[in-house]
Amino acid sequence: MQIDMKQPILDKNDTLAAELRKRFAENHVFVLDLLASPGSGKTSTILATIDALRDEFNIAVIEGDIASSVDAEKIKAQGTSAVQINTGGACHLESAMVKRAVDVLDLERLDLIIIENVGNLVCPTDFDLGENAKVMILSVPEGDDKPLKYPGVFQVAQAVVLNKVDTMPVFDFNREAFEASVRQLNPQAPIFPIAATKGDGVEAWANWLAERIRAV
Amino acid sequence: MQIDMKQPILDKNDTLAAELRKRFAENHVFVLDLLASPGSGKTSTILATIDALRDEFNIAVIEGDIASSVDAEKIKAQGTSAVQINTGGACHLESAMVKRAVDVLDLERLDLIIIENVGNLVCPTDFDLGENAKVMILSVPEGDDKPLKYPGVFQVAQAVVLNKVDTMPVFDFNREAFEASVRQLNPQAPIFPIAATKGDGVEAWANWLAERIRAV
């Protein structure tokens, strides 16, 4: 007999995610679940996004990492609330972990929570965290063939941020081929080319996000 | 009651891995399990490694990907046997998958099998595939803080390949800080700085590997 061990875990996760989603909606908080490989620039993108949106919105960040709190420290240094979750080995965040972080935030005061998931293009894809949108970042140095090799994350993303576009001349990245394979997996998702550490392209991405925050 | 669902999966995996390890030893094949993030240059490193070692050793590659066969095609184009495993969503290779790939290879004829694991710094760490050594690649664009955030993979690696060192001027990568944190997690593992697509530094890494292949 084969026992499906993934299903009960997902069921339990999804029940709690639905409760979180209800709490977020009641408090008019937009929640973004950010997925990417290690080192694609999630934290830099979050810092640039906060810079672009902080005048209009109250923002908090939930940092998911296997170990360390270096990312939460970077966010706090910018004057934004950040809660660090250490998964202690787990390769993705689950809604129970997010709930513990949310419990220490003042939801009534917030407009936007950005969840930085564990750097992993595979496992976080399956886990509903009660978010309004999953968005993924791919960075140019990772290569244009990633949609072919990690299709799931490109399919669940409501938008694709292409980071480190300033390094395009250094890497052999075929942007047309990349965009064509994203289109094939996910015709609706906009692609935002940015260079997070330099601020290039952040405005268009931040505007897309701001529209959605205002709507909740 | 808490049921540990990871343990029985690992036990089953490890039993099969032990059988594989025995087969590899009987046939004097050295097996390398290569771990890295998506886009860190695993396939380029494999191509450069084959180039450096093909005169002395018979080599085959097992390519692990969630989907696609682009990597196996690249290896075959270089004239080396490659078997593609598509995990169909799974975030790591398991020994049962490797066994199916090994069954189509002529072990008697081979000296080295390189297993390119799924691009993931977390999950493959826990899975014994019967290999002689796990080696990890980190690429410079991913950042020098990765040992702090993904300690497990740095701990299991018998060597650390630091790829894309030619892009060091473009990225804010602190090599001393990186090496110090690797040392803390894993004092024994040598660190090999390379630029796989240009061949820089490949000789030292290939020599390290060649010594181990000759010893089995």
PDB file of all heavy atoms in Angstrom, chain B residues 53-88:
ATOM      1  N   LEU B  53      39.149  15.801 -17.039  1.00  0.00           N
ATOM      2  CA  LEU B  53      39.392  14.427 -16.567  1.00  0.00           C
ATOM      3  C   LEU B  53      39.181  13.347 -17.614  1.00  0.00           C
ATOM      4  O   LEU B  53      39.504  12.179 -17.386  1.00  0.00           O
ATOM      5  CB  LEU B  53      38.471  14.130 -15.364  1.00  0.00           C
ATOM      6  CG  LEU B  53      38.671  14.958 -14.098  1.00  0.00           C
ATOM      7  CD1 LEU B  53      37.664  14.546 -13.031  1.00  0.00           C
ATOM      8  CD2 LEU B  53      40.095  14.793 -13.548  1.00  0.00           C
ATOM      9  N   ARG B  54      38.644  13.716 -18.782  1.00  0.00           N
ATOM     10  CA  ARG B  54      38.209  12.686 -19.737  1.00  0.00           C
ATOM     11  C   ARG B  54      39.354  11.870 -20.316  1.00  0.00           C
ATOM     12  O   ARG B  54      39.129  10.741 -20.758  1.00  0.00           O
ATOM     13  CB  ARG B  54      37.347  13.305 -20.838  1.00  0.00           C
ATOM     14  CG  ARG B  54      38.099  14.244 -21.759  1.00  0.00           C
ATOM     15  CD  ARG B  54      37.139  15.052 -22.624  1.00  0.00           C
ATOM     16  NE  ARG B  54      36.090  14.207 -23.197  1.00  0.00           N
ATOM     17  CZ  ARG B  54      34.962  14.679 -23.723  1.00  0.00           C
ATOM     18  NH1 ARG B  54      34.730  15.981 -23.738  1.00  0.00           N
ATOM     19  NH2 ARG B  54      34.083  13.867 -24.247  1.00  0.00           N
ATOM     20  N   ASP B  55      40.564  12.423 -20.352  1.00  0.00           N
ATOM     21  CA  ASP B  55      41.684  11.646 -20.904  1.00  0.00           C
ATOM     22  C   ASP B  55      42.046  10.475 -19.997  1.00  0.00           C
ATOM     23  O   ASP B  55      42.498   9.430 -20.459  1.00  0.00           O
ATOM     24  CB  ASP B  55      42.923  12.543 -21.103  1.00  0.00           C
ATOM     25  CG  ASP B  55      42.729  13.506 -22.265  1.00  0.00           C
ATOM     26  OD1 ASP B  55      41.782  13.296 -23.058  1.00  0.00           O
ATOM     27  OD2 ASP B  55      43.504  14.477 -22.363  1.00  0.00           O
ATOM     28  N   GLU B  56      41.864  10.664 -18.693  1.00  0.00           N
ATOM     29  CA  GLU B  56      42.244   9.600 -17.763  1.00  0.00           C
ATOM     30  C   GLU B  56      41.089   8.686 -17.359  1.00  0.00           C
ATOM     31  O   GLU B  56      41.300   7.498 -17.081  1.00  0.00           O
ATOM     32  CB  GLU B  56      42.874  10.224 -16.490  1.00  0.00           C
ATOM     33  CG  GLU B  56      43.382   9.171 -15.508  1.00  0.00           C
ATOM     34  CD  GLU B  56      44.102   9.764 -14.293  1.00  0.00           C
ATOM     35  OE1 GLU B  56      44.357  10.996 -14.269  1.00  0.00           O
ATOM     36  OE2 GLU B  56      44.402   8.975 -13.368  1.00  0.00           O
ATOM     37  N   PHE B  57      39.862   9.235 -17.318  1.00  0.00           N
ATOM     38  CA  PHE B  57      38.750   8.475 -16.734  1.00  0.00           C
ATOM     39  C   PHE B  57      37.556   8.346 -17.688  1.00  0.00           C
ATOM     40  O   PHE B  57      37.296   9.239 -18.497  1.00  0.00           O
ATOM     41  CB  PHE B  57      38.266   9.167 -15.448  1.00  0.00           C
ATOM     42  CG  PHE B  57      39.335   9.341 -14.407  1.00  0.00           C
ATOM     43  CD1 PHE B  57      39.819  10.605 -14.103  1.00  0.00           C
ATOM     44  CD2 PHE B  57      39.865   8.245 -13.746  1.00  0.00           C
ATOM     45  CE1 PHE B  57      40.810  10.784 -13.148  1.00  0.00           C
ATOM     46  CE2 PHE B  57      40.854   8.405 -12.783  1.00  0.00           C
ATOM     47  CZ  PHE B  57      41.329   9.675 -12.480  1.00  0.00           C
ATOM     48  N   ASN B  58      36.819   7.235 -17.536  1.00  0.00           N
ATOM     49  CA  ASN B  58      35.519   7.104 -18.213  1.00  0.00           C
ATOM     50  C   ASN B  58      34.433   7.664 -17.302  1.00  0.00           C
ATOM     51  O   ASN B  58      34.304   7.242 -16.155  1.00  0.00           O
ATOM     52  CB  ASN B  58      35.234   5.632 -18.526  1.00  0.00           C
ATOM     53  CG  ASN B  58      36.040   5.161 -19.708  1.00  0.00           C
ATOM     54  OD1 ASN B  58      36.177   5.867 -20.704  1.00  0.00           O
ATOM     55  ND2 ASN B  58      36.609   3.964 -19.597  1.00  0.00           N
ATOM     56  N   ILE B  59      33.666   8.580 -17.849  1.00  0.00           N
ATOM     57  CA  ILE B  59      32.744   9.371 -17.019  1.00  0.00           C
ATOM     58  C   ILE B  59      31.322   9.265 -17.554  1.00  0.00           C
ATOM     59  O   ILE B  59      31.109   9.241 -18.769  1.00  0.00           O
ATOM     60  CB  ILE B  59      33.175  10.864 -17.029  1.00  0.00           C
ATOM     61  CG1 ILE B  59      34.652  10.986 -16.617  1.00  0.00           C
ATOM     62  CG2 ILE B  59      32.286  11.707 -16.120  1.00  0.00           C
ATOM     63  CD1 ILE B  59      35.256  12.378 -16.817  1.00  0.00           C
ATOM     64  N   ALA B  60      30.352   9.203 -16.650  1.00  0.00           N
ATOM     65  CA  ALA B  60      28.939   9.347 -17.025  1.00  0.00           C
ATOM     66  C   ALA B  60      28.289  10.335 -16.064  1.00  0.00           C
ATOM     67  O   ALA B  60      28.788  10.548 -14.951  1.00  0.00           O
ATOM     68  CB  ALA B  60      28.212   8.013 -16.967  1.00  0.00           C
ATOM     69  N   VAL B  61      27.195  10.942 -16.519  1.00  0.00           N
ATOM     70  CA  VAL B  61      26.510  11.950 -15.712  1.00  0.00           C
ATOM     71  C   VAL B  61      25.056  11.542 -15.520  1.00  0.00           C
ATOM     72  O   VAL B  61      24.407  11.069 -16.458  1.00  0.00           O
ATOM     73  CB  VAL B  61      26.591  13.339 -16.403  1.00  0.00           C
ATOM     74  CG1 VAL B  61      25.798  14.379 -15.617  1.00  0.00           C
ATOM     75  CG2 VAL B  61      28.046  13.775 -16.544  1.00  0.00           C
ATOM     76  N   ILE B  62      24.561  11.701 -14.303  1.00  0.00           N
ATOM     77  CA  ILE B  62      23.131  11.537 -14.025  1.00  0.00           C
ATOM     78  C   ILE B  62      22.577  12.915 -13.695  1.00  0.00           C
ATOM     79  O   ILE B  62      23.045  13.571 -12.771  1.00  0.00           O
ATOM     80  CB  ILE B  62      22.894  10.564 -12.846  1.00  0.00           C
ATOM     81  CG1 ILE B  62      23.409   9.161 -13.217  1.00  0.00           C
ATOM     82  CG2 ILE B  62      21.416  10.512 -12.482  1.00  0.00           C
ATOM     83  CD1 ILE B  62      23.331   8.148 -12.072  1.00  0.00           C
ATOM     84  N   GLU B  63      21.616  13.345 -14.510  1.00  0.00           N
ATOM     85  CA  GLU B  63      21.069  14.693 -14.381  1.00  0.00           C
ATOM     86  C   GLU B  63      19.742  14.647 -13.658  1.00  0.00           C
ATOM     87  O   GLU B  63      18.795  14.011 -14.135  1.00  0.00           O
ATOM     88  CB  GLU B  63      20.820  15.283 -15.782  1.00  0.00           C
ATOM     89  CG  GLU B  63      22.066  15.732 -16.505  1.00  0.00           C
ATOM     90  CD  GLU B  63      22.675  16.957 -15.841  1.00  0.00           C
ATOM     91  OE1 GLU B  63      21.953  17.670 -15.121  1.00  0.00           O
ATOM     92  OE2 GLU B  63      23.873  17.189 -16.048  1.00  0.00           O
ATOM     93  N   GLY B  64      19.641  15.311 -12.527  1.00  0.00           N
ATOM     94  CA  GLY B  64      18.376  15.399 -11.799  1.00  0.00           C
ATOM     95  C   GLY B  64      17.731  16.748 -12.016  1.00  0.00           C
ATOM     96  O   GLY B  64      18.341  17.776 -11.727  1.00  0.00           O
ATOM     97  N   ASP B  65      16.527  16.739 -12.562  1.00  0.00           N
ATOM     98  CA  ASP B  65      15.778  17.981 -12.735  1.00  0.00           C
ATOM     99  C   ASP B  65      14.313  17.693 -12.471  1.00  0.00           C
ATOM    100  O   ASP B  65      13.844  16.583 -12.691  1.00  0.00           O
ATOM    101  CB  ASP B  65      15.921  18.511 -14.170  1.00  0.00           C
ATOM    102  CG  ASP B  65      17.208  19.290 -14.367  1.00  0.00           C
ATOM    103  OD1 ASP B  65      17.369  20.323 -13.685  1.00  0.00           O
ATOM    104  OD2 ASP B  65      18.031  18.868 -15.187  1.00  0.00           O
ATOM    105  N   ILE B  66      13.600  18.709 -12.031  1.00  0.00           N
ATOM    106  CA  ILE B  66      12.165  18.572 -11.850  1.00  0.00           C
ATOM    107  C   ILE B  66      11.504  18.305 -13.190  1.00  0.00           C
ATOM    108  O   ILE B  66      10.623  17.473 -13.326  1.00  0.00           O
ATOM    109  CB  ILE B  66      11.621  19.869 -11.217  1.00  0.00           C
ATOM    110  CG1 ILE B  66      12.170  19.945  -9.806  1.00  0.00           C
ATOM    111  CG2 ILE B  66      10.113  19.902 -11.235  1.00  0.00           C
ATOM    112  CD1 ILE B  66      11.786  21.175  -9.087  1.00  0.00           C
ATOM    113  N   ALA B  67      11.960  19.031 -14.206  1.00  0.00           N
ATOM    114  CA  ALA B  67      11.412  18.881 -15.558  1.00  0.00           C
ATOM    115  C   ALA B  67      12.505  19.231 -16.548  1.00  0.00           C
ATOM    116  O   ALA B  67      13.534  19.789 -16.176  1.00  0.00           O
ATOM    117  CB  ALA B  67      10.211  19.811 -15.739  1.00  0.00           C
ATOM    118  N   SER B  68      12.302  18.873 -17.802  1.00  0.00           N
ATOM    119  CA  SER B  68      13.188  19.182 -18.938  1.00  0.00           C
ATOM    120  C   SER B  68      14.400  18.259 -19.016  1.00  0.00           C
ATOM    121  O   SER B  68      14.725  17.547 -18.063  1.00  0.00           O
ATOM    122  CB  SER B  68      13.674  20.636 -18.934  1.00  0.00           C
ATOM    123  OG  SER B  68      14.904  20.758 -18.243  1.00  0.00           O
ATOM    124  N   SER B  69      15.058  18.283 -20.161  1.00  0.00           N
ATOM    125  CA  SER B  69      16.289  17.497 -20.325  1.00  0.00           C
ATOM    126  C   SER B  69      17.388  18.369 -20.921  1.00  0.00           C
ATOM    127  O   SER B  69      18.315  17.876 -21.547  1.00  0.00           O
ATOM    128  CB  SER B  69      16.025  16.296 -21.234  1.00  0.00           C
ATOM    129  OG  SER B  69      15.602  16.743 -22.505  1.00  0.00           O
ATOM    130  N   VAL B  70      17.298  19.694 -20.693  1.00  0.00           N
ATOM    131  CA  VAL B  70      18.274  20.613 -21.295  1.00  0.00           C
ATOM    132  C   VAL B  70      19.690  20.332 -20.822  1.00  0.00           C
ATOM    133  O   VAL B  70      20.639  20.413 -21.595  1.00  0.00           O
ATOM    134  CB  VAL B  70      17.926  22.113 -21.049  1.00  0.00           C
ATOM    135  CG1 VAL B  70      16.744  22.544 -21.898  1.00  0.00           C
ATOM    136  CG2 VAL B  70      17.651  22.413 -19.583  1.00  0.00           C
ATOM    137  N   ASP B  71      19.846  19.955 -19.543  1.00  0.00           N
ATOM    138  CA  ASP B  71      21.196  19.712 -19.021  1.00  0.00           C
ATOM    139  C   ASP B  71      21.793  18.434 -19.611  1.00  0.00           C
ATOM    140  O   ASP B  71      22.955  18.414 -20.008  1.00  0.00           O
ATOM    141  CB  ASP B  71      21.176  19.628 -17.492  1.00  0.00           C
ATOM    142  CG  ASP B  71      20.968  20.996 -16.857  1.00  0.00           C
ATOM    143  OD1 ASP B  71      21.101  22.011 -17.587  1.00  0.00           O
ATOM    144  OD2 ASP B  71      20.685  21.060 -15.665  1.00  0.00           O
ATOM    145  N   ALA B  72      20.986  17.365 -19.673  1.00  0.00           N
ATOM    146  CA  ALA B  72      21.489  16.113 -20.245  1.00  0.00           C
ATOM    147  C   ALA B  72      21.890  16.327 -21.708  1.00  0.00           C
ATOM    148  O   ALA B  72      22.893  15.775 -22.167  1.00  0.00           O
ATOM    149  CB  ALA B  72      20.428  15.017 -20.124  1.00  0.00           C
ATOM    150  N   GLU B  73      21.124  17.145 -22.420  1.00  0.00           N
ATOM    151  CA  GLU B  73      21.461  17.421 -23.836  1.00  0.00           C
ATOM    152  C   GLU B  73      22.832  18.093 -23.935  1.00  0.00           C
ATOM    153  O   GLU B  73      23.633  17.774 -24.811  1.00  0.00           O
ATOM    154  CB  GLU B  73      20.391  18.317 -24.491  1.00  0.00           C
ATOM    155  CG  GLU B  73      18.971  17.741 -24.511  1.00  0.00           C
ATOM    156  CD  GLU B  73      18.883  16.340 -25.105  1.00  0.00           C
ATOM    157  OE1 GLU B  73      19.629  16.053 -26.054  1.00  0.00           O
ATOM    158  OE2 GLU B  73      18.088  15.519 -24.588  1.00  0.00           O
ATOM    159  N   LYS B  74      23.084  19.041 -23.025  1.00  0.00           N
ATOM    160  CA  LYS B  74      24.381  19.750 -23.040  1.00  0.00           C
ATOM    161  C   LYS B  74      25.541  18.777 -22.792  1.00  0.00           C
ATOM    162  O   LYS B  74      26.599  18.897 -23.401  1.00  0.00           O
ATOM    163  CB  LYS B  74      24.403  20.835 -21.946  1.00  0.00           C
ATOM    164  CG  LYS B  74      23.659  22.099 -22.311  1.00  0.00           C
ATOM    165  CD  LYS B  74      23.855  23.159 -21.213  1.00  0.00           C
ATOM    166  CE  LYS B  74      22.695  24.140 -21.193  1.00  0.00           C
ATOM    167  NZ  LYS B  74      22.619  24.904 -19.937  1.00  0.00           N
ATOM    168  N   ILE B  75      25.337  17.846 -21.870  1.00  0.00           N
ATOM    169  CA  ILE B  75      26.391  16.876 -21.541  1.00  0.00           C
ATOM    170  C   ILE B  75      26.616  15.938 -22.728  1.00  0.00           C
ATOM    171  O   ILE B  75      27.758  15.682 -23.125  1.00  0.00           O
ATOM    172  CB  ILE B  75      25.999  16.050 -20.293  1.00  0.00           C
ATOM    173  CG1 ILE B  75      25.687  16.943 -19.085  1.00  0.00           C
ATOM    174  CG2 ILE B  75      27.088  15.028 -19.961  1.00  0.00           C
ATOM    175  CD1 ILE B  75      26.847  17.638 -18.455  1.00  0.00           C
ATOM    176  N   LYS B  76      25.510  15.446 -23.304  1.00  0.00           N
ATOM    177  CA  LYS B  76      25.626  14.527 -24.443  1.00  0.00           C
ATOM    178  C   LYS B  76      26.304  15.203 -25.621  1.00  0.00           C
ATOM    179  O   LYS B  76      27.071  14.580 -26.361  1.00  0.00           O
ATOM    180  CB  LYS B  76      24.241  14.022 -24.857  1.00  0.00           C
ATOM    181  CG  LYS B  76      23.681  12.965 -23.924  1.00  0.00           C
ATOM    182  CD  LYS B  76      22.288  12.528 -24.400  1.00  0.00           C
ATOM    183  CE  LYS B  76      21.579  11.689 -23.352  1.00  0.00           C
ATOM    184  NZ  LYS B  76      20.130  11.582 -23.624  1.00  0.00           N
ATOM    185  N   ALA B  77      26.018  16.512 -25.807  1.00  0.00           N
ATOM    186  CA  ALA B  77      26.625  17.252 -26.920  1.00  0.00           C
ATOM    187  C   ALA B  77      28.151  17.263 -26.795  1.00  0.00           C
ATOM    188  O   ALA B  77      28.866  17.447 -27.781  1.00  0.00           O
ATOM    189  CB  ALA B  77      26.082  18.685 -26.950  1.00  0.00           C
ATOM    190  N   GLN B  78      28.638  17.075 -25.577  1.00  0.00           N
ATOM    191  CA  GLN B  78      30.084  17.048 -25.344  1.00  0.00           C
ATOM    192  C   GLN B  78      30.641  15.628 -25.504  1.00  0.00           C
ATOM    193  O   GLN B  78      31.827  15.395 -25.301  1.00  0.00           O
ATOM    194  CB  GLN B  78      30.347  17.562 -23.912  1.00  0.00           C
ATOM    195  CG  GLN B  78      31.699  18.212 -23.703  1.00  0.00           C
ATOM    196  CD  GLN B  78      32.111  18.131 -22.233  1.00  0.00           C
ATOM    197  OE1 GLN B  78      31.722  17.233 -21.499  1.00  0.00           O
ATOM    198  NE2 GLN B  78      32.937  19.081 -21.816  1.00  0.00           N
ATOM    199  N   GLY B  79      29.761  14.680 -25.824  1.00  0.00           N
ATOM    200  CA  GLY B  79      30.216  13.319 -26.086  1.00  0.00           C
ATOM    201  C   GLY B  79      30.272  12.429 -24.860  1.00  0.00           C
ATOM    202  O   GLY B  79      30.928  11.384 -24.858  1.00  0.00           O
ATOM    203  N   THR B  80      29.589  12.812 -23.797  1.00  0.00           N
ATOM    204  CA  THR B  80      29.592  12.024 -22.552  1.00  0.00           C
ATOM    205  C   THR B  80      28.204  11.421 -22.333  1.00  0.00           C
ATOM    206  O   THR B  80      27.194  12.054 -22.638  1.00  0.00           O
ATOM    207  CB  THR B  80      29.979  12.934 -21.358  1.00  0.00           C
ATOM    208  OG1 THR B  80      31.264  13.480 -21.614  1.00  0.00           O
ATOM    209  CG2 THR B  80      30.010  12.161 -20.052  1.00  0.00           C
ATOM    210  N   SER B  81      28.153  10.193 -21.808  1.00  0.00           N
ATOM    211  CA  SER B  81      26.862   9.557 -21.499  1.00  0.00           C
ATOM    212  C   SER B  81      26.154  10.351 -20.413  1.00  0.00           C
ATOM    213  O   SER B  81      26.775  10.703 -19.411  1.00  0.00           O
ATOM    214  CB  SER B  81      27.064   8.129 -20.966  1.00  0.00           C
ATOM    215  OG  SER B  81      27.840   7.381 -21.856  1.00  0.00           O
ATOM    216  N   ALA B  82      24.867  10.585 -20.609  1.00  0.00           N
ATOM    217  CA  ALA B  82      24.087  11.290 -19.594  1.00  0.00           C
ATOM    218  C   ALA B  82      22.709  10.665 -19.505  1.00  0.00           C
ATOM    219  O   ALA B  82      22.078  10.377 -20.521  1.00  0.00           O
ATOM    220  CB  ALA B  82      23.970  12.771 -19.935  1.00  0.00           C
ATOM    221  N   VAL B  83      22.261  10.420 -18.284  1.00  0.00           N
ATOM    222  CA  VAL B  83      20.923   9.896 -18.041  1.00  0.00           C
ATOM    223  C   VAL B  83      20.132  10.976 -17.324  1.00  0.00           C
ATOM    224  O   VAL B  83      20.580  11.496 -16.297  1.00  0.00           O
ATOM    225  CB  VAL B  83      20.957   8.629 -17.155  1.00  0.00           C
ATOM    226  CG1 VAL B  83      19.558   8.058 -16.991  1.00  0.00           C
ATOM    227  CG2 VAL B  83      21.905   7.590 -17.730  1.00  0.00           C
ATOM    228  N   GLN B  84      18.978  11.327 -17.874  1.00  0.00           N
ATOM    229  CA  GLN B  84      18.163  12.375 -17.253  1.00  0.00           C
ATOM    230  C   GLN B  84      17.135  11.747 -16.321  1.00  0.00           C
ATOM    231  O   GLN B  84      16.422  10.828 -16.708  1.00  0.00           O
ATOM    232  CB  GLN B  84      17.444  13.181 -18.337  1.00  0.00           C
ATOM    233  CG  GLN B  84      16.548  14.292 -17.811  1.00  0.00           C
ATOM    234  CD  GLN B  84      17.342  15.518 -17.354  1.00  0.00           C
ATOM    235  OE1 GLN B  84      18.181  16.009 -18.093  1.00  0.00           O
ATOM    236  NE2 GLN B  84      17.078  15.998 -16.150  1.00  0.00           N
ATOM    237  N   ILE B  85      17.069  12.231 -15.098  1.00  0.00           N
ATOM    238  CA  ILE B  85      15.978  11.882 -14.181  1.00  0.00           C
ATOM    239  C   ILE B  85      15.095  13.106 -14.048  1.00  0.00           C
ATOM    240  O   ILE B  85      15.581  14.182 -13.708  1.00  0.00           O
ATOM    241  CB  ILE B  85      16.503  11.525 -12.769  1.00  0.00           C
ATOM    242  CG1 ILE B  85      17.486  10.360 -12.821  1.00  0.00           C
ATOM    243  CG2 ILE B  85      15.346  11.221 -11.822  1.00  0.00           C
ATOM    244  CD1 ILE B  85      18.140  10.061 -11.466  1.00  0.00           C
ATOM    245  N   ASN B  86      13.804  12.962 -14.326  1.00  0.00           N
ATOM    246  CA  ASN B  86      12.866  14.045 -14.020  1.00  0.00           C
ATOM    247  C   ASN B  86      12.104  13.651 -12.760  1.00  0.00           C
ATOM    248  O   ASN B  86      11.443  12.610 -12.720  1.00  0.00           O
ATOM    249  CB  ASN B  86      11.902  14.293 -15.184  1.00  0.00           C
ATOM    250  CG  ASN B  86      12.527  15.139 -16.287  1.00  0.00           C
ATOM    251  OD1 ASN B  86      12.178  15.007 -17.446  1.00  0.00           O
ATOM    252  ND2 ASN B  86      13.474  15.997 -15.937  1.00  0.00           N
ATOM    253  N   THR B  87      12.227  14.477 -11.734  1.00  0.00           N
ATOM    254  CA  THR B  87      11.622  14.117 -10.448  1.00  0.00           C
ATOM    255  C   THR B  87      10.126  14.398 -10.423  1.00  0.00           C
ATOM    256  O   THR B  87       9.446  13.999  -9.481  1.00  0.00           O
ATOM    257  CB  THR B  87      12.275  14.904  -9.286  1.00  0.00           C
ATOM    258  OG1 THR B  87      11.955  16.289  -9.444  1.00  0.00           O
ATOM    259  CG2 THR B  87      13.782  14.723  -9.265  1.00  0.00           C
ATOM    260  N   GLY B  88       9.637  15.099 -11.436  1.00  0.00           N
ATOM    261  CA  GLY B  88       8.202  15.371 -11.495  1.00  0.00           C
ATOM    262  C   GLY B  88       7.702  16.174 -10.313  1.00  0.00           C
ATOM    263  O   GLY B  88       6.632  15.908  -9.783  1.00  0.00           O
TER     264      GLY B  88
END
